[in-house]
Amino acid sequence: MKKLSEYLFFWILGGSLYYSFEMIFRGFSHISMFVLGGVCFVFFFVQGKMLHWEDPMWRQILRCTIFVTSMEFITGMIVNKWLHLGVWDYSRLPFQLFGQICLQFTVIFSGLCAVGIILSGYLGYWFFGEEKPHYHVF
């Protein structure tokens, strides 16, 4: 039951943070972004916890950036291409794939991943008694 409450906490927090981030910077969002933000935040926590926060920060950021970009692509293909909801479209940007992911936002997401990794690790420690994270660059 503890794990379920942890994951639910991280999912709701991550979804709320990402939804709010979009509202601040884009002026609008969509419920799918709440779901996606929550899934990604849970991943930040789980990947660090599974490896006891021992991987260097660059590797955690890379792993999480790949995960976030992959999930954005999958979500985009479902929400934008299959369901035609038009939540976002990167087709006018360079280095994009089907208008669902692009290099510019992957770079932005890498910064958000770094913040999410650190935040999720310490929140797990402070609120759920998880192992204290110890971050290092190399």
Side-chain angles (χ1 to χ4, degrees), residues 17-98:
L17 288 172
Y18 192 71
Y19 189 90
S20 298
F21 180 81
E22 282 211 318
M23 292 299 292
I24 291 166
F25 290 100
R26 289 179 67 197
F28 65 95
S29 192
H30 186 266
I31 190 67
S32 62
M33 298 296 92
F34 178 93
V35 173
L36 179 58
V39 167
C40 291
F41 204 72
V42 169
F43 183 81
F44 300 158
F45 175 68
V46 169
Q47 67 83 37
K49 182 179 168 181
M50 284 178 58
L51 298 169
H52 305 284
W53 306 103
E54 292 178 6
D55 263 0
M57 194 62 168
W58 71 265
R59 192 176 295 155
Q60 291 185 57
I61 292 169
L62 179 62
R63 179 183 308 117
C64 290
T65 301
I66 291 168
F67 180 82
V68 167
T69 303
S70 301
M71 292 304 295
E72 182 185 29
F73 182 77
I74 292 166
T75 302
M77 293 304 286
I78 294 168
V79 172
N80 296 323
K81 298 294 185 183
W82 184 36
L83 298 176
H84 304 287
L85 295 177
V87 178
W88 73 89
D89 183 3
Y90 300 143
S91 60
R92 292 189 176 133
L93 297 174
F95 308 108
Q96 54 86 21
L97 182 61
F98 302 119

Side-chain angles (χ1 to χ4, degrees), residues 1-2 4 6-7 9 12 36 40-41 47 51 58 60 63 74 79 81 91 94 101-102 110 114 120 123 127 133:
M1 197 59 159
K2 178 186 172 203
L4 179 61
E6 275 182 279
Y7 295 153
F9 169 80
I12 290 170
L36 179 58
C40 291
F41 204 72
Q47 67 83 37
L51 298 169
W58 71 265
Q60 291 185 57
R63 179 183 308 117
I74 292 166
V79 172
K81 298 294 185 183
S91 60
I101 57 172
C102 69
S110 70
S120 68
L123 290 174
F127 294 146

